[in-house]
C-alpha cells in the first residue's frame, strides 16, 4: 500500500497524472524513491473518458478497431456523419458521453460497456452480441470481473433504450416473416428502393449554397426509410441457426455449413470482387501496360463499348468504395482510377479464389442435402438453405448504402470547400473535413466565422495522440489495457514455429503458401496463392482476397470485414494471433488450418524464420 501511494503521488506531482515507472527501496523500514520516469508505451485516453483514481471505473470497447478494421481516427466530419447515422438507426448507439452508451470523441468511437451493463437486457447483449461472436474478446472479458466496472447507479443515457430497441425490432417483424416465407424474393422491394437511392446519389448534384446539414438530412431520411426493409435478413440468421440445429448430432458438418454460406446473394463486397475479376479478364486491362496509358485511352474513348459499359457500371456501383470508406474525408476509388487499374492488373484471372467458390458452395450443399435425406430432414434443409442463401448476404448491404450516401456527402462538402478556399476562409479543400456538419452549415450562412480557428481546435486533441498506431480493443477509464490469454496445451508449447489463433473460415482445408506481410493494401502486390498476414483488414483490402491462398489477422472476430469476405470467397482464415505481422516474415512458408485456427511456420531451405513454441 505504501508503494502504491508513492506511485500515485509521483504520477500526480511530476507527470500530471500520467502513468509512471518508479524504482524504490526500503532501508530501515523507510521507503525511498530512487528514480521515476513516465511510461511512454501506454495508450493515452482522452480526458473526457478518464475517471479519477479511487472512483468508479468504466470499461470501453473500441468499435473502430473491432468492427471496421482500422485504427486511425476518423476525420471530424467523418465521425460526425458516422455517429449521427448510426444513432438514427440503432437505439443502443443513440446516447453519448460519460453517462451514455457511446463515446464518439476526437475521431474515435467507443462503446461504454459499463453503462450498457446497467441497461435492461444489457448483460445479455454483452454476452451474446459481443462475447459469443468474438473469442479473443471473450477471453479479454473473462480476464476481469465485470462487477468492478458496473456503475452503482443507472446512467441517464441507459434509460428507455431497451423499449426503443423492442419498438425497432417490432417494425422489422413483417420483413422477418416475409423473409422466412419468400426467401430471396422478400428482398425485391429493398433492392428496388436502394437502387433508386444509388442512382440519386450517383447522378444528383445539390446547389453549392445548400446547407450541408440539409443535404445530409435529405439523404439520410431516404436511407432511414429503406433500411428497415432489410430486417428480413434476420430470417437468414434464424435459418442459419436452424441448419446448425438440423445437423447438430452429425459429425464433420461444420465446414460444409460454413461453405454453404459462401458467395451469398446480395453481398455488395462479394459482387464487387466478381466484377473486378471480370474487368481484369478483359483485353483492355490485359493488354494495357500502365495506368497512364489506361487513363489516356479511357479519356479518348478508345476502349470497346462492352468494356466501357462494364467499367462504368463498376464505377457507378463501387466507385464510392475505398480505404476507410466510412470516413467522408477518404478519397474514393472513382477519384483514384490509376490505383484501380493497378489493382486490376494484380489479379490473377486464371487462378483466384472466386473462380471455384460457387463450385465448392454447391458441393457443400449436395453433401448436406444427402445427409439431410438420411436423417429425414430434407424438406427442412432445402427451405432453410434457400432462405439463408437468399437473404443473409444482405447483412453488409446497409453499410454499403451508408458508404454510398457518405460519398454523396463528400462531393457536396468538396463543392462547398471550393467556395471557402476561393474566399480565403480555408487554405485547401480537404480542411473542410476537419469541421463538423453544424460548423460548415453555420459558416455557409455567416462569413464572419473563423473556419481556420475551428479547424485547429478540432485537430488539436487528435494530433496529441497521432503517435498511437495500435489502439487496443478493450481499455478501462484508468488506461488499463484488457487482454485475454489463450490456454495452450503442452503439445502446442513444444511444437516449434506454431502460432495459435481463432478459426474464422475453414476455406478449402489446410493450405500451404508463402507469407506476404502487409500493413497497407497498396504496400506491395499479393501474388496468387500467397498467404496474407495483416493486423486487420477492411473493404479496401477486398481485391487482395481474390489472390490470397489464406488470411492471417491479429485482430478481428467472425463479423469483421476480413472474416466475412474470407468466408464469402472460401479462403481459410485465422485471427487473434498477437503480433502476427512481426512473428511472420515475407516469404516464410506457412501451413494454415482455418478449421483448427493454427498456423505453422515451416523451416525450409529458403527461409529460416522459426518463432518460439506456442507463440500467440
Amino acid at each position: 500500500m505504501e508503494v502504491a501511494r508513492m506511485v500515485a503521488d509521483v504520477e500526480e506531482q511530476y507527470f500530471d497524472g500520467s502513468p509512471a515507472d518508479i524504482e524504490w527501496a526500503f532501508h530501515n523500514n523507510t521507503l525511498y524513491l530512487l528514480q521515476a520516469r513516465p511510461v511512454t508505451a501506454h495508450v493515452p485516453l482522452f480526458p473526457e473518458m478518464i475517471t479519477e483514481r479511487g472512483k468508479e471505473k468504466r470499461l470501453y470497447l473500441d468499435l473502430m478497431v473491432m468492427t471496421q478494421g482500422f485504427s486511425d481516427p476518423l476525420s471530424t466530419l467523418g465521425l460526425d456523419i458516422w455517429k449521427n447515422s448510426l444513432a438514427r438507426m440503432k437505439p443502443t448507439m443513440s446516447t453519448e458521453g460519460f453517462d451514455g452508451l457511446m463515446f464518439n470523441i476526437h475521431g474515435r468511437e467507443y462503446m461504454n460497456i459499463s453503462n450498457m451493463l446497467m441497461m435492461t437486457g444489457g448483460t445479455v447483449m454483452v454476452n451474446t452480441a459481443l462475447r459469443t461472436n468474438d473469442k479473443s474478446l471473450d477471453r479479454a472479458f473473462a480476464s476481469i470481473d465485470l462487477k468492478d466496472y458496473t456503475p452503482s447507479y443507472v446512467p441517464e443515457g441507459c434509460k428507455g433504450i431497451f423499449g426503443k430497441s423492442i419498438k425497432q425490432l417490432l417494425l422489422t417483424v413483417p420483413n422477418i416473416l416475409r423473409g422466412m416465407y419468400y426467401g430471396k424474393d422478400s428482398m425485391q422491394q429493398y433492392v428496388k428502393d436502394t437502387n433508386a437511392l444509388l442512382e440519386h446519389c450517383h447522378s444528383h448534384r445539390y446547389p453549392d449554397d445548400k446547407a450541408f446539414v440539409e443535404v445530409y438530412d435529405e439523404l439520410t431520411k431516404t436511407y432511414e426509410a429503406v433500411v428497415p426493409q432489410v430486417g428480413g435478413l434476420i430470417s437468414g440468421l434464424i435459418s442459419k441457426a436452424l441448419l446448425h440445429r438440423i445437423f447438430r448430432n452429425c459429425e464433420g458438418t461444420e465446414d460444409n455449413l460454413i461453405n454453404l454460406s459462401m458467395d451469398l446473394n446480395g453481398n455488395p463486397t462479394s459482387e464487387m470482387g466478381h466484377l473486378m475479376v471480370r474487368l481484369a479478364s478483359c483485353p483492355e486491362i490485359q493488354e494495357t501496360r500502365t495506368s497512364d496509358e489506361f487513363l489516356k485511352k479511357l479519356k479518348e474513348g478508345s476502349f470497346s463499348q462492352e468494356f466501357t459499359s462494364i467499367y462504368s457500371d463498376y464505377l457507378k456501383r463501387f466507385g464510392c468504395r475505398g480505404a476507410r470508406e466510412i470516413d467522408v474525408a477518404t478519397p474514393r476509388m472513382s477519384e483514384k482510377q490509376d490505383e484501380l487499374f493497378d489493382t486490376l492488373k494484380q489479379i490473377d484471372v486464371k487462378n483466384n479464389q472466386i473462380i471455384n467458390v460457387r463450385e465448392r458452395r454447391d458441393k457443400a450443399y449436395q453433401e448436406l442435402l444427402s445427409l439431410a435425406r438420411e436423417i429425414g430432414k430434407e424438406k427442412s434443409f432445402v427451405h432453410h438453405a434457400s432462405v439463408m442463401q437468399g437473404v443473409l448476404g444482405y447483412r453488409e448491404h446497409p453499410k454499403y448504402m451508408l458508404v454510398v450516401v457518405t460519398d454523396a456527402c463528400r462531393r457536396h462538402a468538396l463543392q462547398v470547400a471550393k467556395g471557402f478556399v476561393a474566399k480565403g476562409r480555408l487554405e485547401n479543400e480537404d480542411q473542410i473535413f476537419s469541421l463538423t456538419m453544424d460548423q460548415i452549415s453555420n459558416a455557409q450562412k455567416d462569413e464572419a466565422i473563423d473556419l481556420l480557428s475551428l479547424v485547429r481546435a478540432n485537430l488539436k486533441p487528435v494530433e496529441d495522440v497521432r503517435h498511437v498506431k495500435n489502439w487496443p480493443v478493450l481499455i478501462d477509464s484508468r488506461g488499463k489495457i484488457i487482454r485475454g490469454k489463450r490456454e495452450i496445451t503442452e503439445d502446442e508449447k513444444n511444437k516449434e514455429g506454431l502460432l495459435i489463433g481463432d478459426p474464422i473460415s475453414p476455406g478449402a482445408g489446410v493450405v500451404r503458401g508463402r507469407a506476404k506481410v502487409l500493413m497497407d493494401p497498396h504496400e506491395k502486390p499479393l501474388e496468387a496463392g500467397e498467404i496474407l498476414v495483416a493486423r486487420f483488414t477492411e473493404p479496401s483490402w477486398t481485391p487482395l482476397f481474390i489472390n490470397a491462398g489464406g488470411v492471417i489477422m491479429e485482430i478481428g472476430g467472425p463479423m469483421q470485414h476480413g472474416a466475412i469476405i474470407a468466408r464469402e470467397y472460401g479462403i481459410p482464415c485465422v485471427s487473434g494471433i498477437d503480433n502476427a505481422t512481426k512473428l511472420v516474415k515475407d516469404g516464410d512458408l506457412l501451413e494454415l488450418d482455418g478449421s483448427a485456427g493454427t498456423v505453422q511456420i515451416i523451416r525450409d531451405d529458403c527461409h529460416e524464420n522459426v518463432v518460439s513454441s506456442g507463440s500467440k
Side-chain angles (χ1 to χ4, degrees), residues 327-339:
D327 190 346
V328 70
T330 303
R332 309 287 132 172
M333 190 61 73
S334 60
E335 302 171 49
K336 303 186 295 180
Q337 295 184 46
D338 54 339
E339 288 187 10

Side-chain angles (χ1 to χ4, degrees), residues 313-602:
D313 180 52
Y314 178 88
L315 289 181
K316 178 180 178 180
R317 295 168 62 194
F318 305 117
C320 60
R321 309 206 75 169
R324 294 161 42 86
E325 62 188 12
I326 65 170
D327 190 346
V328 70
T330 303
R332 309 287 132 172
M333 190 61 73
S334 60
E335 302 171 49
K336 303 186 295 180
Q337 295 184 46
D338 54 339
E339 288 187 10
L340 173 58
F341 171 80
D342 292 337
T343 300
L344 293 173
K345 288 291 284 186
Q346 291 173 18
I347 295 175
D348 189 330
V349 297
K350 295 181 180 179
N351 178 29
N352 61 70
Q353 295 293 347
I354 287 180
I355 293 175
N356 298 318
V357 67
R358 286 180 179 168
E359 180 181 330
R360 286 166 51 199
R361 183 192 65 190
D362 293 343
K363 181 182 177 183
Y365 180 90
Q366 292 300 326
E367 290 180 2
L368 290 171
L369 176 62
S370 177
L371 183 56
R373 287 188 183 124
E374 292 179 16
I375 60 177
K377 298 287 185 178
E378 178 181 0
K379 185 176 180 180
S380 182
F381 167 77
V382 170
H383 172 72
H384 290 300
S386 174
V387 171
M388 184 191 76
Q389 292 183 329
V391 305
L392 194 55
Y394 286 95
R395 64 182 178 268
E396 289 233 315
H397 210 279
K399 183 201 167 185
Y400 161 67
M401 289 309 301
L402 185 54
V403 171
V404 170
V405 169
T406 300
D407 181 43
C409 289
R410 173 179 170 80
R411 293 198 301 274
H412 186 63
L414 289 172
Q415 287 174 219
V416 175
K418 285 181 181 178
F420 288 159
V421 172
K423 294 178 180 179
R425 303 180 70 188
L426 291 178
E427 295 168 348
N428 60 71
E429 293 174 14
D430 283 345
Q431 284 183 322
I432 198 166
F433 301 120
S434 297
L435 299 168
T436 66
M437 289 191 285
D438 285 340
Q439 287 171 343
I440 294 171
S441 298
N442 291 337
Q444 287 177 279
K445 295 180 292 185
D446 184 356
E447 293 195 2
I449 292 176
D450 184 351
L451 291 179
L452 290 176
S453 293
L454 292 175
V455 167
R456 287 190 290 270
N458 291 340
L459 288 178
K460 178 63 169 63
V462 179
E463 292 302 324
D464 288 344
V465 296
R466 186 72 71 181
H467 63 284
V468 181
K469 300 302 180 184
N470 297 327
W471 290 82
V473 176
L474 203 60
I475 190 169
D476 75 12
S477 56
R478 292 299 303 155
K480 179 181 178 181
I481 297 172
I482 313 297
R483 292 191 179 98
K485 292 184 178 180
R486 182 183 287 103
E487 296 295 329
I488 300 176
T489 66
E490 285 301 318
D491 288 343
E492 291 168 343
K493 288 180 182 178
N494 296 327
K495 192 166 185 181
E496 188 177 39
L498 180 66
L499 306 179
I500 303 170
D502 298 318
I504 297 295
S505 170
V510 179
V511 297
R512 279 194 178 194
R514 296 288 178 185
K516 183 64 66 72
V517 182
L518 294 175
M519 305 307 291
D520 178 273
H522 303 294
E523 181 182 342
K524 49 198 168 188
L526 183 79
E527 305 299 333
E530 287 186 323
I531 294 177
L532 169 64
V533 184
R535 179 163 164 77
F536 37 58
T537 67
E538 41 106 14
S540 64
W541 293 70
T542 298
L544 298 178
F545 280 61
I546 296 173
N547 278 354
V551 177
I552 300 168
M553 299 186 295
E554 294 180 359
I555 294 174
M559 298 312 293
Q560 202 221 58
H561 169 80
I564 292 171
I565 297 304
R567 289 194 296 274
E568 289 283 340
Y569 290 174
I571 305 170
C573 176
V574 174
S575 184
I577 298 180
D578 292 342
N579 296 315
T581 54
K582 294 182 176 64
L583 295 171
V584 178
K585 309 299 181 185
D586 268 4
D588 280 350
L589 181 61
L590 306 179
E591 184 174 88
L592 187 156
D593 188 337
S595 296
T598 59
V599 176
Q600 180 70 52
I601 301 178
I602 301 171

Side-chain angles (χ1 to χ4, degrees), residues 99-112:
D99 278 345
L101 295 173
M102 300 295 298
F103 250 119
N104 293 291
I105 184 169
H106 308 314
R108 308 208 65 78
E109 180 186 45
Y110 290 94
M111 179 175 285
N112 192 326

